[in-house]
Amino acid sequence: MDSSLSATQTKKPEGSVTSRETLTITDNRTGKSYEVPITHGTIRAADLRQIKVDPKEFGMMSYDPAFNNTASCISKITFIDGDAGILRYRGYPIEDLAEKSTYLETAYLLLHGELPTSAQLENWTYNVTHHTYIHESIKKFLDGFHYDAHPMGMTISTIAALSTFYHDAKDIFSADSRTKQTYRLIGKMPTIAAFSYRHTLGMPYVYPDNDLSYPGNFLNMLFRTSETKYRPNPTLERALDILFILHADHEQNCSANTIRSVGSSHVDPYSATAAAIAALYGPLHGGANEEVLRMLMEIGSVEKVPNFIKRVKAGEVKLMGFGHRVYKNYDPRARIIKRVAYEVFELMGKNPLLEIALECERIALEDDYFVKRKLYPNVDFYTGLIYQSMGFPMTMFPVLFAIPRTSGWIAQWEEMLLDPEQKIARPRQIYLGHDTRHYVPIGQRG
Ligand code: SDX
């Protein structure tokens, strides 16, 4: 287990002696007491099953809608301390990786647990780069979408369709097969995303250029027109690489939970990844970056921000890009993204919506409604401004989240598969519906 304590645990004060790492529970219905072990600051929900009034009962369960306080797995991939605003991939602070690493190196770290040697990185880069092409039939699939199809819908469908091309993907307990599918998924996500974008513009697809970097090739497939060789702008290429690093993983978020749950049925990784992309698409999750831009455009001017904030506090609308289930402090990624934004604006010109965003942030960081609820800008608040300045339409914003998150999803999926404690996800429920009822013929219904 990761040596650093999880966010649910607190360090014991120096010198404190814990008699026993156990919890004693007294059931006042029976007067019986139970002692359950505490491990890593948690108790096993299964240990509650012994608590019964009648021995024939199923036994006590815990009830935790949306898993607000439930650890679903043991993981060594990503550590978040929401109160301190800390994010680390395999122990490395996100600030270090954003400054010194590249997305492909970070993806290797997430998937293998260690930073690669130069030989490992070279091999990894070679293999991902040589899996960027997609089967020509997939173009026919993409051409079938309407011109105004949302690129996230196209990406979800096309990633799922990859499972029909790579039958070896079902061999999920073969490490070689998982490695091959990993190369394909990480290599092909930018290609499918770029082809989806080009389809919506009615422009010809641009094939991968294996001479370019991962972000550079993505820019090539998105924006190359008549030039024979696309030269990505180094500032935009680096900005995209940093954004990809920041979006690569985030422990047990909604889409990570999805790939773990769907993957627990032992379906192939393409179908499981498609499910994760679908979860990310939601406006409360990765779709928030698109909604932030729509919100800023709806506000329209700095002068109208106070009125919008009033509507937020009245519960009429949400301040998209704010708040987080785990971070009760500034999202460390948002801090870095804000710096990257200024570097992109330096080159592409300041995004006119920036002033509105800054005013929303200024008010929210002072206003008691937000302070009391610990609502801070999250990863999605500033990204849309950057993407728009880079020339992306709003509909591409969640796709730009899905591309880098693919490495985190695969790392979470593989960790679940190889965890001997994990099996098919099948939660329980509290049933409060009807007791037995008998069928009533239609002529006798009220
Ligand atoms: C991502 O989980 C992850 O790690 C996700 C992510 C990742 O990298 O994978 O970090 C990426 O999804 C970031 C979040 C992007 N979503 C948004 O920006 C959408 C706006 N944010 C909210 O919908 C909300 O903050 C969530 C969904 C992010 C978190 O919701 P929670 O933890 O369930 O909190 P909640 O909805 O119970 O809110 C608690 C209170 C409520 O008020 P009260 O009922 O107590 O009066 O805070 C309020 C909420 O109404 N609130 C907001 C708000 N977010 C929460 N009020 C106004 N605007 C908001 N954005």
Side-chain angles (χ1 to χ4, degrees):
M1 178 66 187
D2 191 329
S3 56
S4 56
L5 292 174
S6 81
T8 53
Q9 294 168 331
T10 48
K11 284 192 188 308
K12 297 185 192 68
E14 284 311 309
S16 71
V17 178
T18 312
S19 56
R20 293 192 306 273
E21 289 294 309
T22 62
L23 196 66
T24 302
I25 302 168
T26 301
D27 182 348
N28 295 316
R29 300 172 299 175
T30 60
K32 280 187 190 165
S33 280
Y34 306 84
E35 194 155 306
V36 294
I38 297 171
T39 339
H40 307 304
T42 65
I43 61 166
R44 300 181 78 93
D47 287 343
L48 299 174
R49 287 281 300 282
Q50 59 185 312
I51 302 172
K52 302 180 182 184
V53 176
D54 178 335
K56 290 200 297 295
E57 276 174 15
F58 178 78
M60 183 76 67
M61 293 192 292
S62 61
Y63 173 53
D64 187 14
F67 316 124
N68 238 325
N69 191 43
T70 294
S72 62
C73 63
I74 287 177
S75 180
K76 300 181 179 179
I77 299 169
T78 295
F79 173 78
I80 300 174
D81 181 327
D83 292 330
I86 290 172
L87 168 58
R88 299 188 203 124
Y89 295 161
R90 299 287 187 179
Y92 294 93
I94 194 68
E95 295 80 3
D96 277 7
L97 294 169
E99 188 193 331
K100 299 166 186 158
S101 188
T102 64
Y103 170 70
L104 274 191
E105 183 181 69
T106 300
Y108 182 97
L109 169 67
L110 287 168
L111 286 154
H112 298 86
E114 299 296 338
L115 286 169
T117 61
S118 51
Q120 287 166 333
L121 183 60
E122 193 183 334
N123 178 58
W124 168 248
T125 304
Y126 176 87
N127 279 296
V128 171
T129 304
H130 288 81
H131 284 88
T132 49
Y133 273 67
I134 56 177
H135 193 290
E136 283 291 289
S137 298
I138 291 177
K139 289 189 334 185
K140 297 190 195 92
F141 186 78
L142 287 168
D143 288 345
F145 287 102
H146 207 247
Y147 75 93
D148 61 354
H150 195 293
M152 273 298 259
M154 297 172 77
T155 303
I156 295 165
S157 326
T158 310
I159 290 293
L162 290 184
S163 65
T164 67
F165 287 83
Y166 305 114
H167 303 298
D168 57 332
K170 287 186 188 296
D171 195 2
I172 58 175
F173 288 104
S174 151
D176 289 347
S177 172
R178 292 199 303 272
T179 300
K180 184 97 177 177
Q181 312 323 323
T182 300
Y183 293 149
R184 286 171 172 154
L185 272 162
I186 295 179
K188 295 176 196 321
M189 267 296 273
T191 310
I192 290 168
F195 279 29
S196 301
Y197 171 66
R198 299 284 287 204
H199 171 77
T200 61
L201 297 179
M203 288 184 72
Y205 299 128
V206 173
Y207 282 79
D209 178 345
N210 291 347
D211 296 340
L212 299 174
S213 71
Y214 192 80
N217 174 44
F218 181 49
L219 291 170
N220 158 60
M221 294 188 289
L222 288 163
F223 300 129
R224 182 153 72 85
T225 48
S226 58
E227 65 271 43
T228 47
K229 186 80 176 170
Y230 182 81
R231 303 255 175 251
N233 177 294
T235 304
L236 300 186
E237 186 177 9
R238 181 58 190 152
L240 208 47
D241 212 25
I242 293 171
L243 288 163
F244 281 1
I245 290 170
L246 297 172
H247 284 83
D249 191 59
H250 212 238
E251 56 129 284
Q252 303 315 311
N253 57 80
C254 179
S255 51
N257 179 58
T258 301
I259 197 165
R260 279 177 172 265
S261 179
V262 169
S264 72
S265 73
H266 292 176
V267 75
D268 69 270
Y270 300 104
S271 306
T273 302
I277 303 171
L280 187 77
Y281 191 7
L284 295 186
H285 193 8
N289 53 22
E290 178 180 349
E291 295 309 315
V292 168
L293 249 291
R294 294 186 194 284
M295 174 187 77
L296 296 175
M297 292 167 74
E298 182 199 335
I299 294 171
S301 70
V302 170
E303 296 69 33
K304 291 179 182 161
V305 169
N307 190 46
F308 186 82
I309 295 290
K310 226 180 269 157
R311 290 181 57 208
V312 171
K313 290 163 70 174
E316 285 171 33
V317 287
K318 283 188 182 295
L319 187 57
M320 298 308 277
F322 266 71
H324 200 276
R325 174 64 57 79
V326 177
Y327 288 125
K328 300 307 170 191
N329 197 323
Y330 213 100
D331 185 330
R333 299 168 296 179
R335 212 186 293 284
I336 300 168
I337 288 167
K338 203 171 167 183
R339 176 173 54 74
V340 171
Y342 284 103
E343 289 162 13
V344 171
F345 297 157
E346 188 87 14
L347 180 77
M348 307 298 285
K350 194 163 85 170
N351 188 314
L353 296 171
L354 176 64
E355 295 312 322
I356 301 174
L358 290 171
E359 182 61 6
C360 288
E361 180 182 3
R362 186 190 67 76
I363 295 178
L365 294 182
E366 288 169 3
D367 187 296
D368 189 51
Y369 176 92
F370 299 92
V371 173
K372 200 169 66 176
R373 291 168 177 79
K374 297 186 176 180
L375 302 178
Y376 291 90
N378 59 47
V379 67
D380 290 314
F381 190 60
Y382 284 104
T383 39
L385 291 172
I386 301 176
Y387 295 147
Q388 189 179 52
S389 296
M390 291 173 85
F392 290 104
M394 283 185 281
T395 51
M396 277 297 285
F397 295 0
V399 180
L400 290 161
F401 195 145
I403 293 170
R405 186 52 64 91
T406 302
S407 55
W409 286 329
I410 298 170
Q412 298 285 347
W413 168 74
E414 193 163 42
E415 187 176 64
M416 175 277 302
L417 270 188
L418 302 180
D419 180 343
E421 280 207 299
Q422 293 293 341
K423 47 191 184 178
I424 188 166
R426 207 273 182 225
R428 303 283 180 171
Q429 64 171 12
I430 299 171
Y431 178 72
L432 298 181
H434 287 285
D435 203 338
T436 309
R437 299 196 283 175
H438 299 290
Y439 186 81
V440 178
I442 193 158
Q444 296 168 30
R445 293 173 201 162

